[in-house]
Amino acid sequence: MHTYNLHGITLGFACTDGPLRDLVDDTMAYKGAVLMPGGTPEVILDLAPAAEGITVPAEAARITTHEHDIDILHTGATYFLTYGEDTVVRIDAEDHRATFVWGPDFRGPLPRHEAAIAFYLIIITLVILVRYRGWYALHAAALEHDGVGVLLSAVSGSGKTTTTLNLIRAGWRYATDDTVLMRPTEGGLVEVISYRKAFSLTDETLALFPELSGRSWPRPPGLRPKWRVSVEAGFPGQFVPHLIPRFVVVPTIEPEAPSRVEPMPSREALLYLISQTGLQLTPDRALNARHMEAMGVLVRQCTCLRLKAGPDLLEDPARTAVLLREAMSVQSQEAS
């Protein structure tokens, strides 16, 4: 058993040496986890070759199909991921354990496509397993300015990563540009931890940040045409693994308007944030109720803002940090 520490969450992987073990090591490094000796895993993924296949019950209900043809089904708290006819993952969520059976295409050196499918299977499995441990995934960047945590959540293509990098350039600390895991604390607040330390950047985004360009970056896991970038290489000492959010910022693109920051109604922000979770992955009413309760706590502890980004931010990217600092200062003064 190999155990990894992901900012306080212990993940266990049972797998033999070889391409799958290398894939696990690479996936965990991409997420920001570190190999640790010993420890009791909170979830276990058994990737070792199984002696027997896994039969998906006929009554299993389909939840959804992942964009790369991975079907997700369930019967109660038992989930199944299937790819093709021979590759199946059985997730016993309440036992916090998953068992993988690999088809013949995964039993040797892994070409990029097969490695990407194995990566997606592992990541989807982890999201389901940690949810039953009380950690909920949210598609958002997480940053910190003067000790104040900020979540920046936006759909793909809305400039979230570019905005995040502009804020990092202005001295903000960062946890991630893409995904966090969130859960309530004993103190009654919601905390978030980084669920992806490395950034995935396009050529166009890299060109905007000479601090990061000019290096030979590898491809990230998966199939998207991006580069796996260590932001620490260009902005050392600014990574923070966890934080307590106090602001939620939702950026939108305003093609003709000057950029501005406006208050966002809490209910509207909550509905938006719900759309950025994988809530539909687990049709478990009790579990989803706990998830929704955590989302409600998150929104209540935060001031919600909408960043309407106009073309002036392209001409003066540093203005992003100025706008947000001013808006956060005003909102903090009004709250006090």
Side-chain angles (χ1 to χ4, degrees), residues 115 123 190 198 242 288 302 312 328:
I123 294 304
V190 164
H242 54 82
N288 289 347
C302 288
D312 52 311
M328 290 165 60

Side-chain angles (χ1 to χ4, degrees), residues 26-82:
D26 187 60
T27 298
M28 291 295 96
Y30 180 63
K31 289 295 183 180
V34 296
L35 189 63
M36 59 180 291
T40 302
E42 296 179 54
V43 300
I44 294 175
L45 286 74
D46 189 350
L47 282 75
E52 299 179 359
I54 296 174
T55 300
V56 179
E59 67 272 17
R62 184 181 304 276
I63 298 172
T64 188
T65 299
H66 184 267
E67 61 179 315
H68 295 293
D69 298 323
I70 297 172
D71 288 330
I72 307 174
L73 309 96
H74 83 112
T75 56
T78 302
Y79 297 81
F80 299 90
L81 312 182
T82 65

Side-chain angles (χ1 to χ4, degrees), residues 1-15 21 24-25 27-47 96-98 122-123 125-133 135 181 193-196:
M1 178 73 65
H2 301 277
T3 56
Y4 302 80
N5 186 290
L6 179 69
H7 314 309
I9 304 176
T10 305
L11 310 174
F13 290 83
C15 54
R21 170 63 198 280
V24 168
D25 286 342
T27 298
M28 291 295 96
Y30 180 63
K31 289 295 183 180
V34 296
L35 189 63
M36 59 180 291
T40 302
E42 296 179 54
V43 300
I44 294 175
L45 286 74
D46 189 350
L47 282 75
H96 314 296
R97 190 179 190 103
I122 290 169
I123 294 304
T125 299
L126 279 174
V127 166
I128 293 173
L129 284 174
V130 299
R131 182 171 294 169
Y132 276 82
R133 283 294 194 185
W135 288 98
L181 295 177
I193 66 169
S194 171
Y195 190 52
R196 198 188 77 184

Side-chain angles (χ1 to χ4, degrees), residues 67-182:
E67 61 179 315
H68 295 293
D69 298 323
I70 297 172
D71 288 330
I72 307 174
L73 309 96
H74 83 112
T75 56
T78 302
Y79 297 81
F80 299 90
L81 312 182
T82 65
Y83 178 76
E85 297 181 356
D86 303 304
T87 300
V88 183
V89 184
R90 176 188 171 109
I91 304 170
D92 296 299
E94 292 180 339
D95 292 333
H96 314 296
R97 190 179 190 103
T99 303
F100 290 66
V101 170
W102 301 99
D105 292 342
F106 299 88
R107 297 172 190 165
L110 296 175
R112 187 178 180 207
H113 182 269
E114 282 68 26
I117 297 301
F119 166 76
Y120 295 134
L121 288 169
I122 290 169
I123 294 304
I124 296 169
T125 299
L126 279 174
V127 166
I128 293 173
L129 284 174
V130 299
R131 182 171 294 169
Y132 276 82
R133 283 294 194 185
W135 288 98
Y136 311 113
L138 174 65
H139 179 221
L143 301 111
E144 188 178 83
H145 176 65
D146 287 344
V148 178
V150 179
L151 287 181
L152 190 72
S153 184
V155 296
S156 298
S158 297
K160 173 171 55 66
T161 293
T162 302
T163 300
T164 299
L165 286 168
N166 281 325
L167 294 173
I168 294 170
R169 178 185 272 168
W172 292 40
R173 303 178 76 192
Y174 68 94
T176 181
D177 76 314
D178 186 76
T179 309
V180 297
L181 295 177
M182 50 168 277

Side-chain angles (χ1 to χ4, degrees), residues 250-266:
V250 177
T252 58
I253 296 174
E254 301 288 328
E256 299 179 0
S259 299
R260 61 196 183 277
V261 179
E262 298 177 349
M264 185 176 188
S266 296

Side-chain angles (χ1 to χ4, degrees), residues 138 141-152 172 185 187-192 242-250 264 266 269 273 296-305 324 327-333 335:
L138 174 65
L143 301 111
E144 188 178 83
H145 176 65
D146 287 344
V148 178
V150 179
L151 287 181
L152 190 72
W172 292 40
T185 67
L189 298 175
V190 164
E191 68 171 335
V192 302
H242 54 82
L243 54 86
I244 301 288
R246 291 297 187 176
F247 285 86
V248 168
V249 178
V250 177
M264 185 176 188
S266 296
L273 289 175
V297 172
L298 172 65
V299 169
R300 288 193 296 273
Q301 78 187 39
C302 288
T303 299
C304 302
L305 303 170
L324 286 176
M328 290 165 60
S329 177
V330 168
Q331 293 296 325
S332 296
Q333 291 174 9

Side-chain angles (χ1 to χ4, degrees), residues 181-265:
L181 295 177
M182 50 168 277
R183 75 167 175 185
T185 67
E186 293 182 358
L189 298 175
V190 164
E191 68 171 335
V192 302
I193 66 169
S194 171
Y195 190 52
R196 198 188 77 184
K197 185 178 180 181
F199 285 27
S200 289
L201 305 182
T202 62
D203 288 321
E204 292 76 15
T205 302
L206 265 177
L208 298 174
F209 296 91
E211 303 94 331
L212 301 172
S213 60
R215 293 176 171 85
S216 180
W217 298 113
R219 292 289 186 185
L223 295 172
R224 294 179 180 174
K226 296 185 178 184
W227 301 104
R228 172 178 172 170
V229 176
S230 170
V231 174
E232 202 163 14
F235 303 97
Q238 291 178 233
F239 176 71
V240 54
H242 54 82
L243 54 86
I244 301 288
R246 291 297 187 176
F247 285 86
V248 168
V249 178
V250 177
T252 58
I253 296 174
E254 301 288 328
E256 299 179 0
S259 299
R260 61 196 183 277
V261 179
E262 298 177 349
M264 185 176 188

